[in-house]
Amino acid sequence: MEMKKRIHLELRNRTPSDVRELVLDNCRSSEGKIEGLTSEFVNLEFLSLINVGLISVSNLPKLGKLKKLELSDNRISGGLDVLAEKLPNLTHLNLSGNKLKDISTLEPLKKLDNLKSLDLFNCEVTNLNDYRESVFKLLPQLTYLDGYDMDDHEASDSDGEVDGDGVDEEDDDDEGEEEEDEDGEDGEEDFDEEDDDDDDDDEVEGEEDEEDEEDFGQDGELDDEDDEEDDDDEEEEEGRKGEKRKREAEDEDDDEEDDD
């Protein structure tokens, strides 16, 4: 894909001034030069042009806020003075895998006062004697060369990388934490509601048990009343039988008197 078309696609309906990070890796440059990139990208902080066939960076527009530039795996052999002129705030520069042969080709980088990290992996210049000492001497503002400082201490992730969307990521993290907090609160509320429901169920069961006991008590009273009624019936029947026996005895006495 041509570089111009790739830039258009990367915009995604945004204006150039809205873009902070632009990755154009593996697209095709026209005649080994940058095309389609303009100074309208005033807020651009990260630009990646890896393996796009660049021979020269002469067409690079002025990008006052650019901090990190990836130019690895191209065919650049010189002309780095453009970087010092157009990118005054550059802090990280990756020129690995290019055609840089001499220390002198790096001299224009002296004007990049904020340059902190420089990568030259797989460039012929790295095969020179005293390569590291010479580069650090030429560029005293450097902290890291090929990922290591003068004392061979490896660069930390925060020093070695600059992410143009870092602020957005922090915002996303904050939003994620807020969502987690909200979820946690919702979970506690749900848990409390479940406890309340359980308590309500227990209360209902307790009331049902009390009702059963009351019913049992009422049944007991009814049974007692039935027993008393039965006793009364038995007494009445016994009384009737006694009166009947008394009458029979009186009748017998009367019969005996008649016989006499």
Side-chain angles (χ1 to χ4, degrees):
M1 182 184 296
E2 293 182 356
M3 190 176 293
K4 279 185 178 181
K5 187 175 182 180
R6 177 69 175 275
I7 291 174
H8 178 72
L9 290 175
E10 291 294 332
L11 282 175
R12 298 169 192 162
N13 296 323
R14 296 175 295 174
T15 62
S17 60
D18 293 331
V19 180
R20 296 174 60 192
E21 179 176 345
L22 186 59
V23 178
L24 305 174
D25 300 347
N26 303 312
C27 65
R28 293 196 306 271
S29 61
S30 175
E31 299 180 354
K33 295 182 180 180
I34 297 171
E35 60 177 353
L37 189 64
T38 69
S39 57
E40 293 177 342
F41 289 85
V42 292
N43 293 311
L44 193 64
E45 295 181 5
F46 175 84
L47 175 61
S48 185
L49 293 165
I50 297 173
N51 189 33
V52 296
L54 288 181
I55 297 174
S56 169
V57 290
S58 60
N59 285 0
L60 188 69
K62 186 173 181 63
L63 301 170
K65 291 188 177 182
L66 194 73
K67 293 180 179 179
K68 183 172 182 180
L69 178 60
E70 291 278 352
L71 292 172
S72 58
D73 300 327
N74 286 291
R75 293 177 289 164
I76 300 168
S77 58
L80 301 183
D81 52 309
V82 175
L83 300 181
E85 179 184 348
K86 302 292 181 67
L87 311 175
N89 290 307
L90 194 67
T91 60
H92 293 68
L93 176 61
N94 190 342
L95 288 166
S96 300
N98 279 280
K99 305 295 183 180
L100 303 172
K101 299 179 180 180
D102 302 318
I103 295 291
S104 59
T105 58
L106 304 175
E107 192 163 346
L109 301 182
K110 292 171 63 175
K111 297 178 183 179
L112 289 171
D113 296 333
N114 298 310
L115 190 63
K116 183 178 182 180
S117 176
L118 176 64
D119 289 311
L120 298 169
F121 289 113
N122 298 323
C123 292
E124 290 185 39
V125 68
T126 61
N127 296 324
L128 298 176
N129 292 331
D130 300 327
Y131 152 69
R132 289 183 61 81
E133 292 81 354
S134 299
V135 174
F136 275 119
K137 184 177 179 179
L138 177 68
L139 306 173
Q141 77 272 35
L142 271 188
T143 302
Y144 300 104
L145 176 62
D146 300 331
Y148 290 84
D149 64 13
M150 289 183 67
D151 298 322
D152 290 332
H153 294 146
E154 189 173 4
S156 64
D157 291 339
S158 59
D159 289 329
E161 297 293 336
V162 173
D163 188 350
D165 289 338
V167 175
D168 296 337
E169 289 180 357
E170 290 177 1
D171 292 341
D172 292 341
D173 292 340
D174 292 340
E175 291 176 0
E177 291 176 359
E178 290 176 0
E179 289 177 358
E180 289 178 1
D181 292 340
E182 291 176 358
D183 291 341
E185 292 176 359
D186 292 341
E188 291 177 0
E189 292 177 358
D190 293 341
F191 183 74
D192 292 339
E193 290 177 0
E194 290 178 1
D195 287 343
D196 293 340
D197 292 340
D198 292 339
D199 293 340
D200 293 341
D201 292 339
D202 293 338
E203 290 178 2
V204 172
E205 290 178 0
E207 292 176 357
E208 291 177 353
D209 292 339
E210 290 177 0
E211 291 176 358
D212 292 340
E213 291 177 358
E214 292 177 359
D215 293 341
F216 177 76
Q218 293 174 356
D219 292 341
E221 292 175 359
L222 292 174
D223 291 340
D224 292 341
E225 292 176 359
D226 292 340
D227 292 340
E228 291 175 358
E229 291 177 358
D230 292 339
D231 292 339
D232 293 341
D233 293 340
E234 289 177 358
E235 290 177 358
E236 291 178 359
E237 187 174 350
E238 289 292 333
R240 286 195 298 271
K241 288 180 179 179
E243 291 177 357
K244 183 178 181 181
R245 284 195 296 271
K246 185 177 179 180
R247 285 195 299 271
E248 288 177 353
E250 291 176 351
D251 292 339
E252 288 177 358
D253 291 338
D254 293 338
D255 292 337
E256 288 177 357
E257 291 178 356
D258 294 336
D259 291 337
D260 291 338

